[in-house]
Amino acid sequence: MYVPAGHPSVVVGIDGSRAAIDAALWAVDEAVARDIPLRLLYAIEPDDFAEVPPDRAARKLAIAENAVRYASMTAEAAEQPVRIEIEIAQERPIVALTRASASAAMVCVGAVGLHHFRPERAGSTAAAVAQSAHCPVAVIRRHGDRARREEHWIAVDSHASADSDAVMRTALEEARLRDLPLRAITHGQRAGCDYPDRRLERWRRHYPDVDVEAAVSTGSLIDYLAGHGRHVRMVVIGHRNHDEVTRLLGPAGSAVLHHADCSLLIVDRPNL
């Protein structure tokens, strides 16, 4: 079924994989916090050859219905007041998710879909949607119990850019929602330089309930993530930081995120 366009929701790409279920569970909090529906979107890839078995379409639809039904039941089992919508589209997943992103508050996808067998690599659908969507995109690697505050945190790339305020605001909202500290990563600052910390003062005033600290990395964002292993539950970065986004979605970045069991939230400024 098709859900009317223009009606905000948190969209989750469903494909029958465990990663998609993790994305749906993670997205429940996002939908509840915004008081908008959680939309489970399954896209049936069209056949690209002329002759297909007569029952193929029916079988593909049955697979889609089973996948979204299971995802819906799993989300409902989270026992939160979430409103769930289901959409089954007859189009390529990248096309369907990009279309849905035009009115979505956020799109969530599993890092590795059903047909990708290397968990250290982001799936092609996740990478393409992260680059083409019209709203923030979360690439989820695992959903588990709330992380312990003393052991985990959310990291944000606080590199100065046109969308740095939007990125920081989103990261702070995520830290508040997940009840985790936030570490703002800056690059190449001298040891003892208090500039990054001074820049965070106004954010601390606006979010007094969030533990916000500056963290200096002498290397790249990927170097920071590699060095801090499993402590980082999610990294938040602006879409306009094209080079870093490309690296994080590529083989090297995906391998680091996989080994750190770390999700990625790419913030697109216009839809915030």
Side-chain angles (χ1 to χ4, degrees):
M1 79 183 223
Y2 279 89
V3 178
H7 134 135
S9 60
V10 175
V11 174
V12 183
I14 300 298
D15 64 356
S17 67
R18 178 67 229 183
I21 296 298
D22 286 339
L25 288 170
W26 186 89
V28 167
D29 288 333
E30 300 291 333
V32 171
R34 292 168 170 81
D35 192 25
I36 58 177
L38 178 72
R39 187 191 306 182
L40 306 176
L41 170 57
Y42 190 110
I44 299 176
E45 185 92 39
D47 292 313
D48 55 3
F49 44 91
E51 295 186 9
V52 296
D55 63 339
R56 182 174 174 83
R59 284 191 287 109
K60 291 172 75 171
L61 180 59
I63 291 170
E65 289 174 340
N66 286 337
V68 294
R69 186 181 301 113
Y70 179 72
S72 178
M73 291 170 57
T74 305
E76 288 172 347
E79 298 183 345
Q80 292 204 58
V82 62
R83 291 171 286 153
I84 297 176
E85 299 175 342
I86 289 173
E87 177 180 1
I88 297 176
Q90 299 282 345
E91 55 191 341
R92 294 174 59 232
I94 295 168
V95 173
L97 289 166
T98 302
R99 168 184 55 75
S101 75
S103 60
M106 180 180 289
V107 168
C108 305
V109 292
V112 182
L114 188 63
H115 301 295
H116 294 271
F117 303 102
R118 295 181 61 186
E120 75 278 10
R121 295 285 297 271
S124 58
T125 297
V129 171
Q131 296 281 17
S132 63
H134 305 293
C135 68
V137 175
V139 181
I140 304 302
R141 293 204 169 267
R142 185 178 66 84
H143 177 84
D145 296 333
R146 285 180 178 269
R148 295 171 60 188
R149 286 179 58 87
E150 66 270 24
E151 294 180 358
H152 298 97
W153 59 83
I154 290 175
V156 57
D157 181 18
S158 60
H159 178 74
S161 66
D163 56 358
S164 59
D165 280 0
V167 174
M168 279 298 299
R169 189 177 300 108
T170 300
L172 284 156
E173 293 289 348
E174 284 300 317
R176 173 184 281 171
L177 178 61
R178 309 289 167 182
D179 192 27
L180 287 171
L182 180 67
R183 298 295 174 254
I185 313 304
T186 58
H187 309 285
Q189 295 289 339
R190 300 188 308 275
C193 177
D194 66 349
Y195 173 68
D197 198 65
R198 285 189 288 110
R199 232 174 49 167
L200 293 177
E201 280 305 318
R202 69 184 179 98
W203 292 112
R204 293 192 182 102
R205 290 195 296 271
H206 288 297
Y207 293 84
D209 54 329
V210 179
D211 174 8
V212 185
E213 298 293 340
V216 176
S217 173
T218 56
S220 67
L221 180 59
I222 290 178
D223 293 330
Y224 174 84
L225 295 172
H228 289 81
R230 294 182 180 274
H231 292 295
V232 182
R233 302 305 296 148
M234 168 169 276
V235 58
V236 183
I237 187 171
H239 185 271
R240 295 189 182 188
N241 193 348
H242 299 291
D243 292 343
E244 203 69 73
V245 169
T246 299
R247 280 192 287 269
L248 286 169
L249 291 170
S254 293
V256 167
L257 293 175
H258 167 68
H259 292 301
D261 204 14
C262 177
S263 296
L264 174 64
L265 178 56
I266 301 169
V267 180
D268 184 74
R269 187 181 184 192
N271 281 31
L272 291 173

